[in-house]
Amino acid sequence: MIVTALRDILGTDQDVSGPGWNSRRLLLASDGMGFSLTDTVIKKGALLEIEYTHHLEACYCVEGNGQIKTSDDETWHPVEPFTLYALDQHDRHMVRATDADLRLVCVFNPPLSGGEVHRKDGSYAPSS
């Protein structure tokens, strides 16, 4: 069994951040679960353009308000508590936090190794 508290991850190498976001990696590839799980915060006012070419991602909003759209779509979809979005086609997308920080619980497949940060194209490198 694996038991992890967020407070034990804060300030460690599993607490990864970049411009406009912070990802606390709760489960990693090394945990052997076949997926990773993060507690991610997108900062109020941030607009991120991301494309996970090597990962599928599902996000469940637990706090805050924001919006998401794929780059091919003009429609912004609301993201609010108890809303899920899944990027099942390696979708290039934009996500923004509107009136407060947006807090998401995210699952990645294949799992993250831990230190990933967004590259210039918005993706993470392939998992090793």
Side-chain angles (χ1 to χ4, degrees):
M1 178 169 42
I2 300 167
V3 178
T4 303
L6 180 60
R7 69 178 170 270
D8 297 331
I9 290 183
L10 298 175
T12 73
D13 60 352
Q14 287 179 235
D15 186 0
V16 181
S17 62
W21 61 273
N22 181 237
S23 177
R24 292 78 67 97
R25 279 82 192 268
L26 298 164
L27 285 174
L28 297 171
S30 60
D31 293 311
M33 296 291 295
F35 61 90
S36 57
L37 182 73
T38 70
D39 180 319
T40 298
V41 175
I42 299 172
K43 303 294 184 181
K44 176 184 174 181
L47 172 63
L48 306 177
E49 187 167 3
I50 305 167
E51 181 178 19
Y52 296 116
T53 54
H54 306 288
H55 298 85
L56 297 176
E57 180 191 30
C59 297
Y60 185 67
C61 179
V62 295
E63 198 174 291
N65 290 286
Q67 298 175 316
I68 187 166
K69 77 177 198 77
T70 63
S71 295
D72 297 335
D73 188 2
E74 294 301 316
T75 304
W76 284 95
H77 302 276
V79 178
E80 57 191 21
F82 316 115
T83 302
L84 167 95
Y85 65 85
L87 302 158
D88 61 339
Q89 301 296 314
H90 302 281
D91 310 273
R92 184 163 197 77
H93 61 286
M94 294 192 292
V95 61
R96 61 184 173 196
T98 51
D99 61 338
D101 288 353
L102 186 61
R103 187 170 180 190
L104 307 165
V105 175
C106 307
V107 176
F108 285 88
N109 184 18
L112 302 177
S113 61
E116 292 87 352
V117 294
H118 297 114
R119 299 183 302 181
K120 284 186 178 187
D121 68 356
S123 71
Y124 288 151
S127 297
S128 47

